Amino acid sequence: MPRFKRGHAAAGWLAAAVLLTSGCTALDSSSADDAGEGASYEQAYADHEPLHVVGYPSTGSLRVVQELVWDIADGKVDELRKLATGDSGEAEARKTGENWIKAFGTGADGMVTGDFHDGGSERQVVVLYFHDTRQKAEFTVRLYGDTGGENWRVLMKSPDFKDATRTPGWAPKEPGGTGSRMKNNG
């Protein structure tokens, strides 16, 4: 069995690490590309301030709310409509998205905190606090379809401007004011 000098062993380990890392990167980017969203999500993340979070979101509920905020900030009605649950009619979802952009677009472009109430297993109420404009809004996100927890969508059934932009009277002035904890059912 040949003996390697320390420098050769280190170079071998380095080469193996580079190979493994590049393989993981390739796997990661290809799966993101297959989903058709990886690059756009990464770019949107780089272009916006990330959502500040209070409470207990699931990975899916957090992602859909983050996309919701970015699409509102960017004025992307069509992208918002794609986030709607299937039981939100297309015209209804489009009008709701337009209302949200008009009402919250300026605030969504700044610092936003999402206060995730209850557990995020199937449905979650989220109160967004738009810090620059001092607005807050309530959104409901939920699993949609049979995709094993990966397909979170936003309920968009408020085509009336007042209804779509109503301030939740029950929500505290500041994020986390109610404790934003999961309910203890036992």
Side-chain angles (χ1 to χ4, degrees):
M1 183 171 218
R3 300 189 82 163
F4 295 103
K5 293 182 181 176
R6 271 186 209 253
H8 292 259
W13 282 106
L14 180 60
V18 168
L19 180 61
L20 286 173
T21 304
S22 64
C24 290
T25 303
L27 285 174
D28 184 43
S29 64
S30 67
S31 62
D33 289 343
D34 289 343
E37 342 178 308
S40 62
Y41 183 85
E42 290 169 0
Q43 187 60 52
Y45 191 87
D47 291 345
H48 299 88
E49 181 168 347
L51 182 70
H52 299 257
V53 177
V54 176
Y56 299 93
S58 71
T59 303
S61 66
L62 175 60
R63 182 174 177 137
V64 76
V65 170
Q66 181 67 88
E67 291 175 351
L68 171 75
V69 171
W70 292 338
D71 291 344
I72 290 172
D74 294 343
K76 294 183 174 179
V77 175
D78 288 333
E79 295 302 313
L80 279 171
R81 189 186 49 73
K82 290 177 188 175
L83 296 178
T85 58
D87 59 342
S88 303
E90 185 153 341
E92 195 172 37
R94 175 174 288 285
K95 186 62 180 166
T96 302
E98 290 170 356
N99 290 334
W100 289 346
I101 289 167
K102 183 177 178 183
F104 307 119
T106 301
D109 200 29
M111 186 172 137
V112 180
T113 299
D115 196 342
F116 290 75
H117 294 269
D118 301 323
S121 60
E122 292 181 20
R123 175 183 301 261
Q124 200 158 29
V125 172
V126 182
V127 177
L128 292 180
Y129 292 82
F130 302 98
H131 296 273
D132 293 349
T133 59
R134 300 219 167 276
Q135 294 171 291
K136 59 185 167 186
E138 177 182 349
F139 299 89
T140 299
V141 296
R142 65 184 172 109
L143 281 173
Y144 186 76
D146 186 24
T147 59
E150 298 299 320
N151 194 19
W152 282 83
R153 295 289 177 250
V154 182
L155 187 62
M156 296 178 71
K157 296 179 82 166
S158 302
D160 177 68
F161 185 80
K162 281 186 176 183
D163 186 42
T165 60
R166 185 180 329 268
T167 300
W170 62 269
K173 282 185 169 183
E174 301 294 325
T178 59
S180 303
R181 294 189 187 103
M182 293 173 53
K183 291 182 181 176
N184 185 356
N185 294 325

